[in-house]
Amino acid sequence: MTELNSAKEQIIAASKENNESQQLLDRRLTARDLMEKLQLPRMQRFNFRNWPLIPDHPLTWLKSDPALVEMPASDDEVIKVTQFGQTLLHVNLPQTLKDQGIILTDIFTAAREYPDLFNKFFMTAIKPEENLLTAYHLAYLNSGLFLYIPKNVEIKKPIEAEIIQDSTSNEPLISHILVIADRGSRIKFIQHLTTVGDHENTANMMIELMAQENSEIDFSSLDEFGPHTHTYFKRRADIGRDAHVEWAVGLMNNGNTVGDMDSELLGDGGYANSKMITVTTRDQEVGVNNRVTNHGRHTTGLINQRGVILEKSELIFNGIGQIIHGAHGAKADQQNRVLIMSDQARGDANPILLIDENDVEAGHAASVGPVDPHQMYYLMSRGIPCAQAERMVIRGFLGAVLSAIPSKDVRNKLITILERKLADGQQYE
């Protein structure tokens, strides 16, 4: 009890230093109490319980050195925000969008300046009581972004967020992105995660997408945290009536990673499409739960994820489609495919369907296996070196997901990251 009281006193002091509201402080303290009772989340067939996901580190405020980051070229037409560790380096939101009521800022500024919106939505899709890591996230939150799109506003250009982990010292990154798309709004959001520095650190990354009635959110994430980062991520969309959410994720972190993708189809007629590609290398371990839950009638939930495993790494895909009783006319379909490129690697693809309604459509496909030797023979017989032939086969295997990503810019960036990771992985085979 003395240790708990000391931790809570430290949180109180840090919260006051950050000029936080009493309501946010109270929620932090409640979450810290929950940490004493909750367990780590479950991941089928994947063991991460010895990972350092809750470091013995107090809530502190650290300013990162902007000189360590290459700042984007000035362009008034580009909507972009850059955050290095806890430091907001750059926000470019054209005045025409500000005049329409769009808000783009860091999470703590939002809590102070827009308390009604913040308190209504913050950690309501992802609840702190879900598990030990969600409680830790709220208690020790130290970074994040906030985006609000008013009713019937459409932003045709994507909003780009550069999130850079500061690992020049031992400082966990506990980051929360809250996106609120009000009724009838349309947005595209691209997140890019990278690391500067090589200290061992934890990243606890959460995203809440609040897609209100008849809104559309196209959310892309290009993840490439460094090899010394243990990452836990949780990304959830609450999807209202006739709302539409597209996830497109390139999970290319170089360190151990575990996480959840969740799409909650709460309103009738909602649509969710969750696409992910992953490449693991060296002795990396990655486990992902990708879940779509149909609550509303005539909702559609799709999952399409493909992974490639190199060297001694491990990758587990769990695809979970759930149709709740009363979700008449719902559709759930998923594909989970893993390509194993090494006899020392381990992979699994587990499709799970939980159906509690009769008038529905549901299906799944899963495969785990090595590269097709006939494909390799065909390419190499035409003079293509083995390493290049492997990369061509992998590109073809991942092409079904890559081609389904709607944004050409995101596809091109993801292909660049993919080629870099494949080339790095093949060096050690």
Side-chain angles (χ1 to χ4, degrees):
M1 183 60 70
T2 302
E3 182 177 343
L4 174 60
N5 289 337
S6 176
K8 291 171 74 171
E9 288 174 1
Q10 194 279 322
I11 289 173
I12 291 170
S15 179
K16 290 181 177 178
E17 180 185 350
N18 198 37
N19 194 28
E20 295 176 359
S21 69
Q22 186 62 44
Q23 185 170 353
L24 179 53
L25 173 56
D26 289 344
R27 294 184 69 182
R28 283 189 184 274
L29 296 176
T30 299
R32 186 60 185 85
D33 285 333
L34 287 171
M35 289 176 60
E36 302 298 305
K37 308 170 186 177
L38 296 173
Q39 302 295 319
L40 288 169
R42 296 181 61 187
M43 176 70 64
Q44 186 175 4
R45 302 183 184 182
F46 189 75
N47 183 12
F48 60 95
R49 299 192 173 273
N50 294 325
W51 293 8
L53 294 176
I54 301 184
D56 184 15
H57 195 286
L59 177 61
T60 54
W61 308 111
L62 177 69
K63 288 191 175 182
S64 297
D65 183 0
L68 299 175
V69 175
E70 182 178 351
M71 295 298 292
S74 179
D75 186 343
D76 292 339
E77 298 302 314
V78 175
I79 312 167
K80 186 156 187 174
V81 55
T82 304
Q83 195 163 44
F84 182 24
Q86 302 169 19
T87 305
L88 188 67
L89 297 184
H90 169 266
V91 178
N92 188 59
L93 183 66
Q95 188 61 46
T96 54
L97 298 180
K98 294 178 183 177
D99 293 341
Q100 295 179 69
I102 294 167
I103 302 168
L104 177 61
T105 187
D106 72 275
I107 197 78
F108 297 115
T109 297
R112 287 189 291 267
E113 298 185 4
Y114 310 98
D116 291 343
L117 278 173
F118 178 84
N119 293 327
K120 180 179 179 180
F121 291 104
F122 173 68
M123 291 205 77
T124 57
I126 301 172
K127 295 178 171 56
E129 60 267 25
E130 289 185 28
N131 61 61
L132 177 57
L133 295 178
T134 56
Y136 168 74
H137 179 86
L138 176 51
Y140 291 92
L141 178 70
N142 62 18
S143 183
L145 299 173
F146 177 92
L147 172 64
Y148 171 71
I149 312 299
K151 297 175 186 176
N152 301 318
V153 171
E154 179 178 0
I155 305 179
K156 294 185 178 180
K157 291 190 176 181
I159 299 168
E160 302 178 26
E162 197 77 24
I163 310 295
I164 306 163
Q165 178 192 28
D166 187 350
S167 283
T168 59
S169 63
N170 295 110
E171 183 74 25
L173 179 63
I174 300 101
S175 173
H176 194 100
I177 294 180
L178 175 57
V179 177
I180 306 164
D182 216 329
R183 293 198 304 271
S185 62
R186 308 281 187 273
I187 62 161
K188 297 178 181 179
F189 192 101
I190 302 172
Q191 169 187 259
H192 188 200
L193 307 179
T194 55
T195 300
V196 169
D198 56 7
H199 280 257
E200 299 277 351
N201 268 318
T202 295
N204 184 306
M205 313 294 292
M206 297 197 182
I207 294 167
E208 292 182 294
L209 305 184
M210 316 303 290
Q212 306 295 286
E213 180 179 344
N214 199 36
S215 65
E216 292 185 11
I217 301 177
D218 184 342
F219 191 100
S220 302
S221 186
L222 309 176
D223 302 7
E224 50 175 342
F225 279 147
H228 303 295
T229 298
H230 282 80
T231 301
Y232 172 69
F233 70 85
K234 195 169 186 69
R235 298 166 180 171
R236 180 170 294 164
D238 274 4
I239 303 168
R241 183 182 182 90
D242 295 322
H244 186 126
V245 171
E246 294 267 1
W247 297 97
V249 176
L251 190 61
M252 301 291 171
N253 291 335
N254 294 299
N256 292 339
T257 302
V258 63
D260 296 287
M261 297 273 295
D262 293 310
S263 299
E264 300 288 335
L265 291 156
L266 302 176
D268 295 349
Y271 176 94
N273 191 353
S274 184
K275 302 177 290 292
M276 175 182 289
I277 66 170
T278 304
V279 176
T280 60
T281 59
R282 304 187 188 184
D283 59 353
Q284 186 180 7
E285 299 173 47
V286 175
V288 177
N289 282 335
N290 198 336
R291 175 191 291 269
V292 177
T293 305
N294 301 69
H295 298 267
R297 295 172 297 177
H298 305 289
T299 49
T300 299
L302 307 176
I303 297 171
N304 190 357
Q305 49 189 2
R306 297 197 175 202
V308 177
I309 316 174
L310 299 167
E311 304 172 89
K312 299 179 181 180
S313 59
E314 177 183 3
L315 171 63
I316 304 297
F317 274 156
N318 294 318
I320 307 164
Q322 183 172 9
I323 299 179
I324 303 298
H325 182 67
H328 301 291
K331 179 181 178 180
D333 188 77
Q334 59 172 286
Q335 294 189 40
N336 308 277
R337 302 190 185 279
V338 174
L339 185 63
I340 299 178
M341 303 296 295
S342 166
D343 58 7
Q344 300 181 72
R346 176 175 177 266
D348 210 347
N350 305 306
I352 302 167
L353 288 175
L354 306 170
I355 311 299
D356 195 22
E357 185 55 62
N358 295 320
D359 179 25
V360 299
E361 295 180 37
H364 65 80
S367 65
V368 178
V371 66
D372 186 340
H374 297 291
Q375 291 179 329
M376 289 293 294
Y377 176 79
Y378 177 85
L379 294 171
M380 293 177 67
S381 67
R382 280 149 179 79
I384 299 173
C386 180
Q388 184 181 349
E390 279 190 350
R391 290 201 294 273
M392 292 174 68
V393 170
I394 291 170
R395 280 281 299 276
F397 172 75
L398 298 176
V401 177
L402 284 169
S403 62
I405 296 173
S407 169
K408 182 179 179 181
D409 288 341
V410 173
R411 285 199 306 274
N412 290 339
K413 288 179 181 178
L414 185 50
I415 289 169
T416 299
I417 296 168
L418 170 64
E419 292 291 348
R420 182 165 62 243
K421 186 155 190 181
L422 289 176
D424 290 345
Q426 288 176 322
Q427 292 181 44
Y428 301 92
E429 293 189 325

